[in-house]
């Protein structure tokens, strides 16, 4: 298990399209968690999986009420941090930009290209400036556990790949799809940015499991992707996603290297605003996200 010097692990899951709860949880309860950054997408589902504390948040809300561009990513990440989450698994539906990644495949992403433009991308701002490193935007340690869990669950999963995050809510044009393929991207979706950036600012270990629902419009057989086609694949993917979480939870919980993970110290050298120039109102909002370093 984790070393005595570190906090007990709490595994968070951000569920994407089709994943609106986690089955198998004991002591389940939906709880409203307030955030100074606004309202999260929904109440948070607390529970235990074989004794391991878990927190689940449906990214689009139950019933898929919220489109990608209107998700309050800051409130979601802040609420999860306030709930004690230390390790965050992001599950999201994506389109494939590669022939070898057909619908039904899971991709354990290791890089992002952020093409969103209308979203609040940082907890910090005027009165408290911070710059975190995003060279390696996901936690490799969590990626290892997810890869092992996928193998144990019999899930076809590719390790590594770049996730192109578009603004949406419309799907790509053919020209855009071909451009992103030329950049070497593996999958395309609408939700993991600025989520990954905010998770890093909140010092959460974060990893993305991208669930392929379709080939993007570059593919001759998928040049007119419909929601109905995607939903059909989503149902099967959701079952596999829940199985993946069940297999990953004990691996994450038993990782003795977790307390020393660099993700949990992302703010050590990120704050740049002089202490006497910091805005007290903003500092108050950052109590959960950055309280570890602001309290120094």
């Amino acid at each position: 298990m984790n070393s005595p010097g570190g906090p007990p692990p709490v595994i968070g899951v951000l569920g994407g399209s089709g994943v609106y709860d986690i089955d198998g949880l004991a002591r389940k309860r939906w709880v409203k968690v307030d955030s100074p950054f606004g309202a999260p997408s929904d109440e948070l589902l607390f529970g235990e999986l074989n004794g391991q504390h878990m927190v689940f948040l449906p990214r689009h809300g139950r019933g898929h009420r919220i489109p990608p561009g209107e998700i309050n990513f800051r409130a979601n990440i802040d609420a999860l941090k306030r709930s004690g989450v230390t390790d965050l698994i992001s599950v999201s539906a994506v389109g494939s930009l590669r022939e070898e990644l057909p619908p039904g495949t899971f991709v354990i992403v290791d890089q992002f290209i952020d093409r969103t433009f209308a979203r609040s991308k940082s907890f910090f701002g005027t009165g408290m400036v911070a710059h975190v490193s995003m060279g390696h935007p996901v936690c490799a340690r969590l990626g290892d556990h997810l890869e092992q869990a996928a193998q144990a669950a019999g899930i076809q999963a590719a390790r590594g790949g770049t996730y192109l995050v578009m603004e949406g809510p419309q799907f790509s044009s053919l020209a855009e799809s071909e451009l992103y393929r030329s950049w070497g991207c593996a999958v395309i979706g609408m939700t993991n940015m600025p989520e990954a950036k905010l998770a890093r600012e909140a010092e959460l270990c974060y990893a993305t499991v991208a669930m392929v629902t379709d080939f993007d419009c570059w593919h001759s057989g998928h040049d007119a992707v419909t929601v109905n086609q995607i939903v059909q694949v989503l149902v099967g993917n959701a079952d596999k996603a829940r199985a993946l979480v069940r297999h990953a939870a004990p691996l994450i919980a038993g990782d003795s290297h977790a307390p020393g993970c660099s993700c949990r110290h992302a703010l050590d050298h990120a704050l740049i605003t002089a202490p006497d120039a910091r805005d007290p109102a903003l500092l108050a909002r950052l109590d959960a996200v950055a309280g570890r370093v602001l309290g120094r």
Side-chain angles (χ1 to χ4, degrees):
M1 297 299 289
N2 278 284
S3 68
V10 177
I11 301 172
V13 179
L14 267 167
S17 302
V19 183
Y20 306 117
D21 59 20
I22 298 180
D23 55 8
L25 287 183
R27 302 181 182 178
K28 292 171 62 171
R29 62 197 187 281
W30 287 94
V31 178
K32 180 182 179 182
V33 178
D34 295 324
S35 166
F37 294 94
S41 294
D42 206 323
E43 295 179 332
L44 278 64
L45 176 62
F46 290 74
E48 295 179 13
L49 189 63
N50 297 321
Q52 169 60 45
H53 291 291
M54 306 281 292
V55 182
F56 174 80
L57 176 60
R59 185 185 287 111
H60 299 277
R62 285 169 285 183
H64 205 112
R65 300 175 295 104
I66 307 170
E70 296 181 25
I71 293 170
N72 190 336
F73 292 96
R74 294 195 299 178
N76 285 352
I77 296 297
D78 179 77
L80 288 162
K81 179 80 172 186
R82 289 180 187 279
S83 300
V85 168
T86 56
D87 300 82
L88 181 56
I89 300 171
S90 169
V91 180
S92 58
V94 296
S96 172
L97 295 169
R98 295 184 184 174
E99 191 79 51
E100 67 271 22
L101 299 173
T105 304
F106 283 18
V107 181
I108 302 168
V109 170
D110 60 359
Q111 286 292 332
F112 295 99
I113 294 177
D114 186 0
R115 296 280 288 174
T116 65
F117 52 81
R119 307 177 186 189
S120 297
K121 299 192 178 188
S122 178
F123 291 109
F124 299 90
T126 301
M128 186 64 255
V129 179
H131 303 283
V132 296
S133 171
M134 290 297 295
H136 300 283
V138 298
C139 180
R141 182 182 58 83
L142 282 188
D144 290 342
H145 296 321
L146 290 168
E147 182 179 24
Q148 185 178 344
Q151 292 171 352
I155 297 170
Q156 182 180 353
R159 179 67 188 273
T162 298
Y163 181 152
L164 187 292
V165 190
M166 62 183 296
E167 181 65 38
Q170 301 83 4
F171 294 126
S172 306
S173 70
L174 177 58
E176 290 169 331
S177 190
E178 293 288 8
L179 174 64
Y180 304 148
R181 277 170 46 80
S182 76
W183 289 352
C185 298
V187 294
I188 182 170
M190 303 178 189
T191 58
N192 277 207
M193 281 293 178
E195 185 176 275
K197 293 176 177 176
L198 295 166
R200 178 60 50 83
E201 288 187 345
E203 298 190 317
L204 296 177
C205 293
Y206 174 93
T208 287
V209 178
M211 309 179 299
V212 176
T213 59
D214 61 278
F215 286 112
D216 203 43
C217 62
W218 65 272
H219 195 282
S220 59
H222 290 70
D223 58 351
V225 178
T226 68
V227 170
N228 286 340
Q229 292 169 334
I230 291 174
V231 168
Q232 290 176 10
V233 181
L234 278 177
V235 174
N237 278 354
D239 290 340
K240 290 191 290 185
R242 287 187 278 266
L244 180 67
V245 169
R246 288 196 298 272
H247 282 82
L251 300 175
I252 298 170
D255 188 345
S256 62
H257 299 289
C261 186
S262 61
C263 301
R264 301 189 182 184
H265 302 273
L267 294 177
D268 278 356
H269 306 289
L271 307 183
I272 194 169
T273 303
D276 60 357
R278 296 176 179 178
D279 177 7
L282 180 52
L283 297 183
R285 299 175 77 195
L286 293 168
D287 62 328
V289 168
R292 185 187 70 83
V293 292
L294 291 176
R296 290 176 178 174

